[in-house]
């Protein structure tokens, strides 16, 4: 039997983290193509280092989108994040682009033709998860880790904290008792800062953002509150470390509290099941928990390249379920078409809604009026309750 008293840690990274700069640029390219043609295909990776941005990958879409447009989009992302530093500047960085047409072999497996429905863009397994630990039905450690950095970023962008830089990381460790989070045992925040600020000054800038995010009384002991533990963090971002698209998959999802299939999201259009099926799995899991059918729920989906229907739908409610898991899996298949086309249409994914997902997590966000974060809707609740005779 698993213990119900334990500590658990999750981390987050800010929009200015080198890997997140790459995710943002790659997703801006996806948005650009989907704006021009919702049927576009995109798989673009980004690398950043000291004053250099490299884009590489495959696309299929309007020929009107040139390498010049891709460079412009990359520079706009870096500017919006806030990099105007000697070692990484939106205006001065060298941009190299190695983007070409999508493979015809992949295209023939994925495209619909005759009686063949649109197939998955690759094989793979995807997981979705939800739990009752927080209001957005996310695990508490990753939720609070994201919120701390988001709060710091808002203060930086607004000008309220001009001494902060774009690059930052957080780590939240929570004590669980009887399976529920009850307090923080340690908090770690490392944030890039202006050279005139010392470690103590940065600590006091960070402190209220942590206190405002954590529930009252949850703050850890002072000796377990670590801010810039190396003492100084002036050189940061891509000038300090190289970044790549897709290297923060645990930050992007559930902070390690749930399984991960291994596929990254950013830079991929919604025909790629690495992205769309992971969104669908979260959507289903969240609705199961929101309907009161379980306190925790993991959904696993699996696919084969060129095949439209999922090979498997697995449900695990960790002993918290109020209904039969086998029947729940059957009902899920009836309520949601989990083919790549079905997911894309049900969640309206063929829209330019992806650059905003690149930082602070793809899950636990509020659904937006233009279709952003549509996988966070809870519009299956009534149907799920009805299927099980629940009120």
């Amino acid at each position: 039997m698993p213990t119900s008293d334990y500590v658990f840690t999750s981390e987050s990274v800010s929009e200015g983290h080198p890997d997140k700069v790459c995710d943002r640029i790659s997703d801006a390219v996806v948005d650009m193509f989907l704006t021009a043609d919702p049927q576009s295909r995109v798989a673009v990776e980004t690398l950043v280092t000291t004053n250099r941005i490299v884009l590489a990958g495959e696309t299929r879409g309007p020929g009107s989108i040139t390498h010049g447009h891709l460079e412009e989009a990359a520079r706009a992302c870096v500017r919006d994040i806030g990099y105007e530093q000697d070692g990484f500047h939106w205006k001065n960085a060298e941009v190299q682009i190695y983007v070409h047409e999508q493979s015809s072999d992949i295209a023939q497996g994925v495209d619909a033709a005759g009686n063949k429905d649109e197939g998955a863009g690759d094989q793979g397994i995807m997981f979705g998860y939800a739990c009752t630990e927080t209001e957005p039905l996310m695990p508490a450690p990753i939720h609070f880790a994201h919120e701390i950095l988001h709060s710091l970023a808002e203060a930086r962008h607004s000008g309220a904290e001009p001494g902060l830089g774009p690059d930052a990381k957080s780590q939240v460790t929570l004590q669980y008792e009887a399976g529920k989070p009850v307090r923080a045992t340690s908090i770690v925040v490392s944030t890039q800062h202006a050279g005139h600020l010392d470690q103590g000054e940065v600590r006091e800038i960070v402190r209220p953002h942590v206190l405002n995010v954590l529930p009252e009384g949850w703050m850890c002991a002072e000796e377990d509150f670590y801010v810039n533990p190396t003492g100084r963090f002036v050189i940061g971002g891509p000038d300090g470390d190289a970044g790549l698209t897709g290297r923060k998959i645990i930050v992007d999802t559930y902070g390690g509290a749930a399984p991960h299939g291994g596929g990254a999201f950013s830079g991929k259009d919604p025909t790629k099941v690495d992205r769309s099926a992971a969104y669908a799995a979260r959507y289903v899991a969240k609705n199961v928990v929101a309907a009161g059918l379980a306190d925790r729920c993991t959904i696993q989906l699996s696919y084969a390249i060129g095949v439209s229907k999922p090979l498997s739908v697995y449900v695990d409610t960790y002993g918290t379920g109020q209904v039969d898991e086998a029947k729940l899996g059957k009902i899920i298949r009836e309520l949601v078409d989990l083919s790549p086309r079905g997911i894309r249409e049900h969640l309206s994914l063929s829209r330019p809604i992806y650059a905003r997902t690149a930082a602070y997590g793809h899950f636990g966000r509020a659904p937006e009026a233009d279709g952003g974060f549509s996988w966070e809707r809870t519009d299956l609740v009534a149907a799920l309750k009805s299927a099980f005779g629940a009120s």
Side-chain angles (χ1 to χ4, degrees), residues 340-352:
R341 183 200 298 274
I343 293 170
R344 200 172 69 252
E345 292 179 351
H346 188 95
L347 297 177
S348 301
L349 297 181
S350 297
R351 310 186 193 192

Side-chain angles (χ1 to χ4, degrees), residues 8 26 35 46-47 61 85 94 127 150 153 175 226 320 335 339 356 391:
F8 191 84
S26 292
T35 297
T46 304
L47 175 149
Q85 301 167 3
E94 179 183 349
F127 289 92
H150 196 202
Q175 175 71 50
Y226 303 95
T320 71
L335 291 178
S339 68
R356 71 192 75 171
S391 57

Side-chain angles (χ1 to χ4, degrees), residues 15-347:
E15 66 203 68
H17 185 281
D19 296 332
K20 282 289 145 200
V21 174
C22 294
D23 287 347
R24 173 75 172 271
I25 293 170
S26 292
D27 275 339
V29 172
V30 173
D31 284 352
M32 177 181 291
F33 273 89
L34 293 179
T35 297
D37 179 0
Q39 301 305 312
S40 292
R41 303 290 189 263
V42 183
V44 171
E45 316 296 334
T46 304
L47 175 149
V48 294
T49 186
T50 302
N51 269 333
R52 187 179 298 268
I53 303 167
V54 181
L55 277 68
E58 308 80 47
T59 63
R60 179 152 52 100
S64 58
I65 297 178
T66 66
H67 283 192
H69 291 118
L70 300 184
E71 177 178 342
E72 183 180 337
R75 293 191 188 278
C77 288
V78 175
R79 183 183 65 238
D80 290 346
I81 291 169
Y83 277 111
E84 294 186 342
Q85 301 167 3
D86 289 343
F88 196 69
H89 196 296
W90 66 270
K91 186 183 293 185
N92 302 329
E94 179 183 349
V95 180
Q96 296 174 288
I97 298 174
Y98 305 96
V99 176
H100 57 81
E101 281 286 313
Q102 182 189 54
S103 159
S104 59
D105 288 348
I106 292 176
Q108 74 175 1
V110 173
D111 291 347
N115 292 325
K116 173 184 171 295
D117 195 8
E118 178 184 296
D122 202 352
Q123 71 177 48
I125 57 175
M126 299 84 207
F127 289 92
Y129 180 75
C131 63
T132 57
E133 292 179 14
T134 60
E135 185 176 350
L137 304 184
M138 286 288 287
I142 188 67
H143 173 69
F144 295 133
H146 286 324
E147 288 298 297
I148 289 168
L149 293 185
H150 196 202
S151 180
L152 287 167
E154 288 181 336
R156 177 175 62 85
H157 282 297
S158 71
E161 294 294 352
L164 297 178
D167 194 359
K169 302 178 78 171
S170 65
Q171 187 169 284
V172 174
T173 302
L174 298 184
Q175 175 71 50
Y176 282 71
E177 295 179 358
K180 303 293 184 182
V182 295
R183 61 183 171 276
T185 61
S186 69
I187 301 289
V188 184
V189 179
S190 296
T191 180
Q192 191 180 15
H193 60 88
H196 67 272
L197 295 174
D198 63 29
Q199 185 182 26
E201 289 171 314
V202 176
R203 183 186 187 88
E204 295 315 309
I205 289 172
V206 169
R207 185 187 303 276
H209 295 276
V210 176
L211 291 173
N212 289 340
V213 162
L214 293 177
E216 187 175 357
W218 278 38
M219 184 61 176
C220 62
E222 189 66 16
E223 62 267 25
D224 298 313
F225 178 39
Y226 303 95
V227 176
N228 286 3
T230 63
R232 184 174 170 85
F233 187 5
V234 174
I235 298 173
D239 189 28
D241 284 298
L244 292 169
T245 300
R247 282 206 301 197
K248 288 293 177 283
I249 58 176
I250 301 303
V251 171
D252 285 343
T253 53
Y254 308 102
H260 195 296
F265 303 155
S266 292
K268 299 175 182 178
D269 73 77
T271 67
K272 277 68 171 177
V273 285
D274 272 348
R275 180 168 222 157
S276 57
Y279 290 172
R282 160 64 179 175
Y283 171 65
V284 172
K286 183 175 183 179
N287 275 270
V288 167
V289 174
L293 303 185
D295 290 338
R296 297 172 62 200
C297 181
T298 287
I299 303 291
Q300 184 206 54
L301 306 175
S302 68
Y303 294 85
I305 188 168
V307 178
S308 62
K309 295 295 183 182
L311 306 184
S312 65
V313 179
Y314 166 80
V315 181
D316 185 357
T317 57
Y318 303 91
T320 71
Q322 305 298 311
V323 297
D324 179 70
E325 288 177 350
K327 182 178 179 181
L328 181 55
K330 180 175 180 292
I331 295 299
I332 287 167
R333 284 179 177 264
E334 293 173 357
L335 291 178
V336 185
D337 179 353
L338 292 170
S339 68
R341 183 200 298 274
I343 293 170
R344 200 172 69 252
E345 292 179 351
H346 188 95
L347 297 177

